Amino acid sequence: MRLLIRLMLCTTALIHQWAAAAEPNELEVDYREQPQQLYQQLNEALPPSHLFVSYEEYEQTISSAKLDADELFQSLYYLARLNLEVRVSQNMSHNEAKALRDTLQVIARTDYQRAAALNVEGRYAGLIEQHLSDTVSLNEQALNFIRNSHTPESLTLKFVIYDDMGVVNLMTKRPEAALNNFKQMRDVANSLRDPYLSAEAETRLAKYYRETDQLAKALQHYNEAYRYSAKHDSPYQKALLELSLAKLYRDMQQWDNALIHVHKSIELFRAQGIDKYLSSAMTVIAMVYAEQGEWNRAIDYYLNAQQFDAQNKSLIAQALNFHNLGEAYFHIENHAKAQEYLLQANRIFQDHKSRHYLVYNDLLVTQVALASKQTDMAQAYAQEALEFATQLGLKAEQVEALQYLVTIQEKVGDLTTAYATQKRIIDLKDQIQSEAKAEQKPNEDVALNEQNMMLKIQQQHGNLQKLQQSLLYRNIFAGLLLIALLATIVAIVLLRKQLQRDKQQCQALEHTSLLDPLFGLPGYRDFHRSVTVKSKGLLLLEYPELADMMLTRGYHSAKQLQQSLQQKLTYLLDTKVYSITPALFAVQTHREHSADELHQLLSTINIDSSPLKLNLALINLPLLADKEVLLPAEVLFETLQWLLAGARTVETTKGCYLALRVLEFTPSTVFSQPLYLQLGQSIRRGFIRIESNVDKELINWPEFQSVDTSDFTRAADL
């Protein structure tokens, strides 16, 4: 006993620290988002013996271990719920849940504690004993204890109670009660101002509208849930939202969207190591294919889902999958296999007393039995479906069961009974129609009230003075709007004109940038831009006797002479000529020329009846044998410069022309930087050939000289 007391004393600080740090709504979020971790924390923090058979034993433990009674109760309450949570891995969890349920009933003294104990008892009754009606009644009793309490603990417990009641009411086909529960759940979440719980409430409302075929409203609430969920990191909640959206898009027959969201949910669940919902995801995929009539593909995914359910030992989920498999095999007319799966599902539903599932399973068994001509079996299951549907108040399902019974009775010749059954069907359909009209009537009354209210408002505001004032304000507003519109139009017109002027100015500047800055003729930039793959050759030519004409003749005469030379060259070559520097021109040809022919032609130009000496450099394009390799215009121009520099070194009366060509095996690296060095070496190695009107031995090729910038750098530093 002393050892036990010491152990409890050691854990007291841990319990107090954990419980004090966790607000009730935060604890609820942890329960929903990471139940396994919360279960381990509670087990580690609680005393070794936390099950009590009497209140005196509970008080003695609290007193001896100096525990906080409220914090201990809260820990036991959540531990009880966690033992009923399917995502918590724990041996004999149902037995421990039962023991904790009994302990909570023993130690509960305050209204909040009594309500929490009843909530656990109701959850146990629904999940373990399958007494769903007890779940609702016990939670209603719990609400009576805390209905007027607004403490954080009570609000969080209300949230849980409304959630449990709404889920059960929706499952047992009590839609109005379920909708009321989920709306109350949302109101409580808003009071707590917890975005996670608000997202949970919106998800429940969306589920309600989806299951009642109000798909547009369902999508609206799922969007709200997404908005709240985005405010915090909740991977489990996001995965469930993706799965729920997949189900909604499946019901909306938007198959592609359904598959996109279900695969997102699978990725999120697998990232968290959660296998429980993979079965649901596989079932959604199966139903997508089933809705499109691809029953064999649907069967494959139902079987995958069945494997996950078997691993998780979820009997109800297995039964639902057996039911789905039975339906799929029925549609491909494999009645024996369909009946086998449906009867397996039926046995599990009966063992768990799940009447709300048995109704639909019995109806499908009846269909299969009728299709396979097993009249007695069909009658037995149709009768059983009718009884369950009557007990649950499901009138549409009663009609379906009675229709099967009529078919059977007519087959066996029992026309009197068939007639009586048909009358029951008519009565039930009348009741369904009456209820539908009764549900619509409040909406019509609301619409009528709205119209009456609008009429009264119009009458109150219908006097002439207010109407005139309204018209005056309207005219003023219209005048201001017209002025604003005119001002906007004027601003747009002015802006458009300014844009046109700017465009023209940009075009003019672009044209100017292409001209030779000395003489205003098309210059190097224009030449560089005009070189294309269609060019057949490039020329660089100079009249060396005029190279210094800027100094010897003056700018005005030099400009006239440069323009005259450019015009004559343009006439002789019938192509555009570009001014580079005084007496130096570049030309792009669009047909092949020989260097000798060009030199003779362009040597006919004279000044003051005196022939001019002409140095010319020519490259025929494409330069390389591999036509796929295109050399940049800068490299081609610098090659022409190198050739012209060589031509300048030869002393001849008429001048020198040089034309360059490469051999087939010449690599493209010959035309890499430093280019002058590469070209000089290529001449010596025989990679390129030179055509000339002079002895090539007389040519002094320019040598590459690197520039030493160190002196400039030191000068800049100084």
Side-chain angles (χ1 to χ4, degrees):
M1 185 64 185
R2 289 179 179 175
L3 178 61
L4 178 61
I5 292 173
R6 285 173 184 166
L7 287 171
M8 286 190 293
L9 287 171
C10 291
T11 57
T12 301
L14 289 173
I15 296 175
H16 179 75
Q17 181 181 3
W18 170 81
E23 292 294 329
N25 57 313
E26 294 174 355
L27 202 55
E28 185 63 27
V29 170
D30 288 341
Y31 167 82
R32 292 168 183 262
E33 191 66 23
Q34 43 189 10
Q36 187 67 47
Q37 292 90 323
L38 181 60
Y39 177 80
Q40 291 171 354
Q41 289 174 7
L42 289 173
N43 263 332
E44 291 170 1
L46 283 168
S49 176
H50 48 258
L51 301 175
F52 308 105
V53 296
S54 67
Y55 189 75
E56 289 73 19
E57 181 184 354
Y58 170 67
E59 282 189 317
Q60 183 180 359
T61 302
I62 290 175
S63 176
S64 58
K66 297 182 180 179
L67 297 173
D68 185 283
D70 292 336
E71 292 172 3
L72 179 59
F73 182 91
Q74 190 80 328
S75 299
L76 294 174
Y77 165 68
Y78 272 98
L79 192 62
R81 286 176 60 194
L82 287 164
N83 276 281
L84 296 171
E85 172 61 49
V86 294
R87 288 186 291 147
V88 174
S89 301
Q90 188 339 54
N91 294 328
M92 305 297 290
S93 60
H94 292 173
N95 293 336
E96 186 173 350
K98 183 178 180 181
L100 285 165
R101 177 200 67 179
D102 296 340
T103 292
L104 290 172
Q105 291 172 351
V106 167
I107 65 176
R109 286 295 180 270
T110 67
D111 288 344
Y112 168 79
Q113 292 174 351
R114 291 188 179 94
L118 286 168
N119 172 248
V120 170
E121 186 179 356
R123 181 168 289 214
Y124 186 89
L127 290 173
I128 308 303
E129 298 172 348
Q130 292 296 305
H131 295 159
L132 297 178
S133 59
D134 290 348
T135 299
V136 175
S137 62
L138 288 167
N139 276 298
E140 285 176 342
Q141 294 176 42
L143 276 176
N144 291 331
F145 283 105
I146 58 172
R147 195 175 301 277
N148 297 321
S149 177
H150 299 286
T151 63
E153 293 83 359
S154 297
L155 287 173
T156 305
L157 182 56
K158 285 181 186 179
F159 180 88
V160 175
I161 291 172
Y162 289 134
D163 191 7
D164 291 353
M165 290 174 66
V167 169
V168 172
N169 282 325
L170 187 60
M171 188 184 300
T172 55
K173 305 299 179 181
R174 297 178 61 197
E176 292 180 359
L179 178 59
N180 185 51
N181 294 145
F182 291 145
K183 285 183 176 179
Q184 290 170 316
M185 179 183 177
R186 181 182 60 184
D187 292 342
V188 172
N190 291 338
S191 298
L192 288 167
R193 297 181 179 178
D194 189 305
Y196 185 98
L197 299 183
S198 294
E200 291 284 282
E202 293 293 342
T203 303
R204 289 288 190 267
L205 280 166
K207 178 180 173 65
Y208 165 80
Y209 286 117
R210 181 177 66 80
E211 296 198 4
T212 54
D213 292 327
Q214 301 179 64
L215 304 184
K217 286 187 177 180
L219 184 58
Q220 177 186 348
H221 285 284
Y222 277 132
N223 286 335
E224 279 296 297
Y226 259 98
R227 186 172 67 84
Y228 283 117
S229 182
K231 296 180 179 180
H232 49 81
D233 183 23
S234 52
Y236 175 72
Q237 188 180 72
K238 287 181 173 64
L240 275 183
L241 277 172
E242 293 291 348
L243 181 58
S244 299
L245 263 179
K247 293 178 181 178
L248 175 62
Y249 282 118
R250 175 201 64 196
D251 295 345
M252 296 171 72
Q253 298 186 348
Q254 295 185 20
W255 315 124
D256 292 339
N257 284 336
L259 291 175
I260 288 171
H261 285 284
V262 76
H263 284 299
K264 282 185 181 178
S265 72
I266 290 172
E267 290 176 7
L268 290 169
F269 283 130
R270 282 181 171 160
Q272 299 171 71
I274 299 174
D275 293 338
K276 175 185 179 294
Y277 287 100
L278 291 180
S279 167
S280 297
M282 296 297 172
T283 301
V284 170
I285 298 173
M287 287 184 175
V288 167
Y289 290 123
E291 290 287 344
Q292 299 177 80
E294 299 184 43
W295 292 103
N296 287 314
R297 293 186 74 178
I299 288 171
D300 291 339
Y301 280 98
Y302 281 136
L303 290 172
N304 285 336
Q306 185 61 37
Q307 291 178 359
F308 286 114
D309 289 332
Q311 291 173 8
N312 295 321
K313 298 178 181 179
S314 176
L315 290 176
I316 291 294
Q318 288 185 64
L320 291 171
N321 254 316
F322 286 145
H323 177 88
N324 292 331
L325 281 165
E327 180 187 20
Y329 279 111
F330 173 61
H331 278 89
I332 62 173
E333 298 184 358
N334 188 341
H335 297 148
K337 201 74 173 175
Q339 193 174 93
E340 175 188 342
Y341 279 114
L342 289 171
L343 292 177
Q344 287 185 67
N346 203 277
R347 283 192 292 272
I348 295 174
F349 290 144
Q350 286 179 349
D351 291 343
H352 288 77
K353 300 177 182 179
S354 301
R355 293 180 299 169
H356 50 288
Y357 291 137
L358 277 169
V359 171
Y360 302 101
N361 189 259
D362 287 341
L363 290 172
L364 191 51
V365 172
T366 302
Q367 283 183 272
V368 175
L370 284 172
S372 55
K373 299 180 180 179
Q374 301 179 57
T375 306
D376 292 341
M377 182 179 184
Q379 184 170 8
Y381 278 93
Q383 192 63 48
E384 187 176 78
L386 178 61
E387 291 175 6
F388 288 137
T390 304
Q391 293 171 12
L392 296 171
L394 305 175
K395 292 179 181 176
E397 286 71 16
Q398 291 178 52
V399 170
E400 185 179 352
L402 288 168
Q403 287 173 337
Y404 294 142
L405 287 171
V406 166
T407 302
I408 296 166
Q409 289 158 4
E410 288 176 346
K411 279 186 178 182
V412 299
D414 189 357
L415 299 180
T416 303
T417 308
Y419 176 74
T421 305
Q422 191 66 49
K423 284 190 66 178
R424 288 181 65 185
I425 292 173
I426 294 170
D427 291 340
L428 281 168
K429 286 185 175 180
D430 289 341
Q431 292 177 28
I432 292 171
Q433 289 179 355
S434 299
E435 290 173 358
K437 289 180 180 178
E439 289 177 0
Q440 293 174 359
K441 188 175 180 181
N443 294 331
E444 294 171 357
D445 292 338
V446 169
L448 183 59
N449 290 334
E450 288 178 353
Q451 291 175 2
N452 290 333
M453 185 65 70
M454 289 297 295
L455 180 60
K456 291 179 181 179
I457 293 172
Q458 289 174 0
Q459 289 172 346
Q460 292 174 357
H461 295 279
N463 59 74
L464 180 60
Q465 183 179 0
K466 289 186 178 180
L467 180 59
Q468 290 176 342
Q469 189 176 10
S470 176
L471 288 172
L472 177 62
Y473 290 150
R474 186 183 303 172
N475 291 336
I476 292 173
F477 177 75
L480 292 174
L481 185 61
L482 181 61
I483 293 171
L485 181 61
L486 290 173
T488 303
I489 292 172
V490 171
I492 291 173
V493 170
L494 293 175
L495 180 61
R496 184 176 179 182
K497 288 184 177 180
Q498 182 63 39
L499 289 174
Q500 289 177 344
R501 286 196 295 269
D502 292 346
K503 183 178 179 181
Q504 291 171 357
Q505 187 177 7
C506 286
Q507 291 173 346
L509 289 172
E510 183 180 3
H511 175 71
T512 303
S513 70
L514 299 176
L515 299 179
D516 171 15
L518 281 176
F519 305 116
L521 298 173
Y524 171 75
R525 289 180 182 275
D526 200 357
F527 172 75
H528 178 273
R529 193 177 67 168
S530 65
V531 175
T532 65
V533 293
K534 294 182 180 179
S535 302
K536 296 296 183 181
L538 298 177
L539 302 177
L540 189 63
L541 57 99
E542 74 161 350
Y543 296 97
E545 297 167 348
L546 301 176
D548 297 330
M549 63 180 177
M550 285 285 290
L551 297 176
T552 58
R553 294 172 179 262
Y555 174 74
H556 180 72
S557 296
K559 181 178 180 181
Q560 289 182 334
L561 187 54
Q562 186 82 355
Q563 290 174 345
S564 176
L565 289 171
Q566 192 257 358
Q567 291 170 1
K568 290 178 180 180
L569 290 170
T570 301
Y571 174 76
L572 290 173
L573 295 172
D574 191 23
T575 187
K576 192 172 182 178
V577 177
Y578 303 90
S579 171
I580 307 301
T581 60
L584 179 65
F585 300 91
V587 181
Q588 175 191 192
T589 63
H590 296 287
R591 60 188 181 89
E592 292 185 3
H593 293 278
S594 69
D596 182 57
E597 175 190 348
L598 287 171
H599 192 264
Q600 289 180 11
L601 176 65
L602 301 180
S603 294
T604 60
I605 295 177
N606 56 70
I607 296 296
D608 301 328
S609 301
S610 300
L612 292 173
K613 179 180 177 181
L614 171 66
N615 290 329
L616 183 145
L618 169 66
I619 296 175
N620 285 312
L621 300 178
L623 186 57
L624 296 173
D626 186 356
K627 296 181 180 180
E628 298 294 325
V629 179
L630 300 177
L631 295 175
E634 296 92 338
V635 172
L636 295 174
F637 186 79
E638 193 171 345
T639 303
L640 288 170
Q641 288 179 303
W642 180 77
L643 286 171
L644 192 60
R648 278 182 166 186
T649 63
V650 180
E651 295 291 339
T652 63
T653 305
K654 293 184 178 181
C656 173
Y657 70 78
L658 297 178
L660 180 146
R661 65 184 179 86
V662 299
L663 303 181
E664 291 187 359
F665 56 82
T666 301
S668 60
T669 54
V670 166
F671 297 96
S672 60
Q673 294 295 342
L675 187 61
Y676 273 30
L677 177 63
Q678 296 284 1
L679 291 173
Q681 292 177 351
S682 298
I683 285 285
R684 290 189 289 274
R685 295 174 184 173
F687 284 144
I688 59 178
R689 293 287 184 267
I690 302 297
E691 177 186 345
S692 179
N693 61 337
V694 300
D695 185 358
K696 286 177 278 189
E697 296 296 330
L698 300 175
I699 301 173
N700 292 321
W701 297 106
E703 296 292 338
F704 169 73
Q705 297 180 3
S706 61
V707 179
D708 185 4
T709 60
S710 57
D711 291 339
F712 297 107
T713 304
R714 285 194 293 270
D717 291 339
L718 292 174

